[in-house]
Amino acid sequence: MSGTPRVLDDAAAAAALAERAGPAWTVEDGTIRRQVRCASFPAALTYVAAVGAVAEAAGHHPDIDIRYDVVLLRLRTHSVGGLTELDVDLAARLDEIDPAAP
Amino acid sequence: MSGTPRVLDDAAAAAALAERAGPAWTVEDGTIRRQVRCASFPAALTYVAAVGAVAEAAGHHPDIDIRYDVVLLRLRTHSVGGLTELDVDLAARLDEIDPAAP
């Protein structure tokens, strides 16, 4: 993709997600989000480290909230102030991480 | 410490923090919080992993928010619905982590 990515409204983002990412992601108020309950706090940290590695490789970084064993991921393209294909792409890539793996 | 820890009001928590932890911590609305800007997103992840290891060893777990290179830590003793010495203890222990180390 070259240039500034096109902003997707919530409906367009939801359609793109349905096509390319798993059902755990939802669109809410201009963010793509997923909440993951891990087996433990250390498992949540391991999951966050894996998410972070994927995000850094993609050059696109989710907001990450850790609440003991629950991790909330929120994706948004801050540079354009909305959702774009970059967020859908990252959601699809993050699906490759198994939160139960650790 | 045995039994249920005593709840500290914000003023008592601030006094205990001033005595035992560094100046980066503040008390706000019944939480002890610290915001740390790291050198990068990977540095923030490394900092969070270090915080998590200390928290797990202490058996007391902060809320952790990652916003690219900024990490927000919020401490509260959820089991008693307020601040306790457990939170002040954890703040003091977390001071031993250098966010700039990675």
Side-chain angles (χ1 to χ4, degrees):
Chain A
M1 189 180 304
S2 65
T4 302
R6 189 168 58 89
V7 175
L8 304 174
D9 64 22
D10 283 8
L17 271 181
E19 190 174 324
R20 294 167 44 207
W25 299 95
T26 59
V27 180
E28 197 173 320
D29 296 333
T31 65
I32 291 174
R33 62 181 64 197
R34 179 179 180 182
Q35 187 169 289
V36 175
R37 183 176 294 274
C38 299
S40 64
F41 178 72
L45 292 173
T46 301
Y47 177 66
V48 165
V51 165
V54 169
E56 183 67 9
H60 195 57
H61 303 86
D63 289 349
I64 303 172
D65 295 350
I66 305 171
R67 300 291 178 271
Y68 191 58
D69 59 353
V70 175
V71 178
L72 174 64
L73 305 177
R74 274 177 297 189
L75 313 182
R76 182 176 171 88
T77 305
H78 296 286
S79 61
V80 302
L83 290 172
T84 70
E85 289 290 338
L86 296 175
D87 302 299
V88 179
D89 288 347
L90 184 55
R93 291 192 206 188
L94 293 176
D95 276 341
E96 292 167 24
I97 303 169
D98 179 0
Chain B
M1 187 182 302
S2 65
T4 302
R6 189 168 57 89
V7 175
L8 304 174
D9 65 21
D10 283 8
L17 271 181
E19 190 174 324
R20 295 168 44 207
W25 298 95
T26 59
V27 179
E28 198 173 318
D29 296 333
T31 65
I32 291 175
R33 62 181 63 198
R34 178 178 181 183
Q35 186 169 289
V36 175
R37 183 175 294 274
C38 301
S40 64
F41 178 71
L45 292 173
T46 301
Y47 176 66
V48 165
V51 166
V54 169
E56 183 66 8
H60 195 57
H61 303 86
D63 288 350
I64 303 172
D65 295 350
I66 305 171
R67 298 292 178 270
Y68 191 58
D69 60 353
V70 174
V71 178
L72 173 64
L73 305 176
R74 275 176 296 188
L75 313 182
R76 182 177 172 86
T77 305
H78 295 285
S79 59
V80 302
L83 289 172
T84 69
E85 290 289 339
L86 296 175
D87 302 300
V88 179
D89 288 346
L90 184 56
R93 290 192 205 187
L94 293 175
D95 276 341
E96 291 168 26
I97 304 169
D98 179 1

